[in-house]
Amino acid sequence: MKLLLASVLAGSAAAFAPAAQQAASSSLNMVNELELGATAPLGVFDPLGWLDNEPESFERRRAVERKHGRIAMAAMVGVIVHNNGIHFDGYLSPSANLKFEDVPQGVDGIRAIPTAGLLQILFFFALVELAWMPASDYSGDYGVGWFGDDIKNPEEKA
């Protein structure tokens, strides 16, 4: 457990390390002021000046924000369902004799899940992050459809 905690902390510390500077490309000189996120009197809201300093990474940040927003919405639906007393039948962990309805609400619920179950969740997150919905897909269309329907017509999709 200590090794897992140490590796998680070391990995999170790498997120705050300065990135290596690369030569700036001239393919993206300015963000279109007519795109989403631009407000009429102010333009694009950029309080940290990332558009001026790192314009190449703006589209990636926008795609990552879109993807994480969708995941957060799905997680919120799960919280609402769980807090309303709707539970799956059966066992979360048969070996630990832990039923789904035995998992407490709120933050304490994560402590009730066995370590092997948490590892399965993390591996699933890695699969989603790296293979199914990669951050390199800037279109926002991850091929999962719309409430189960796959919209073929591009005009209807827009």
Side-chain angles (χ1 to χ4, degrees):
M1 188 67 183
K2 290 180 182 179
L3 179 63
L4 176 68
L5 183 61
S7 63
V8 167
L9 288 175
S12 64
F16 298 103
Q21 295 292 331
Q22 296 178 349
S25 69
S26 60
S27 62
L28 179 64
N29 292 333
M30 187 174 149
V31 174
N32 185 0
E33 292 287 330
L34 300 176
E35 287 188 22
L36 290 175
T39 55
L42 302 175
V44 176
F45 181 67
D46 184 27
L48 299 177
W50 284 346
L51 287 176
D52 298 330
N53 300 335
E54 303 172 20
E56 308 86 26
S57 62
F58 176 73
E59 286 299 323
R60 182 183 184 285
R61 284 194 182 103
R62 180 176 274 179
V64 168
E65 180 181 9
R66 184 185 309 124
K67 177 178 64 169
H68 290 167
R70 291 176 183 177
I71 293 170
M73 287 186 277
M76 195 64 220
V77 169
V79 168
I80 291 170
V81 166
H82 184 72
N83 287 344
N84 281 316
I86 302 169
H87 304 285
F88 290 118
D89 291 334
Y91 288 88
L92 176 65
S93 175
S95 61
N97 199 22
L98 178 66
K99 293 185 177 182
F100 283 105
E101 35 187 64
D102 295 339
V103 176
Q105 296 179 358
V107 179
D108 290 332
I110 197 81
R111 294 185 192 108
I113 301 174
T115 306
L118 290 175
L119 287 174
Q120 289 175 355
I121 292 170
L122 290 176
F123 285 136
F124 177 72
F125 286 167
L127 173 74
V128 169
E129 190 76 24
L130 299 173
W132 185 27
M133 296 181 178
S136 60
D137 182 8
Y138 297 159
S139 69
D141 183 9
Y142 300 110
V144 293
W146 182 75
F147 290 115
D149 294 334
D150 190 16
I151 301 172
K152 302 283 187 213
N153 185 1
E155 292 178 8
E156 184 181 349
K157 196 174 212 176

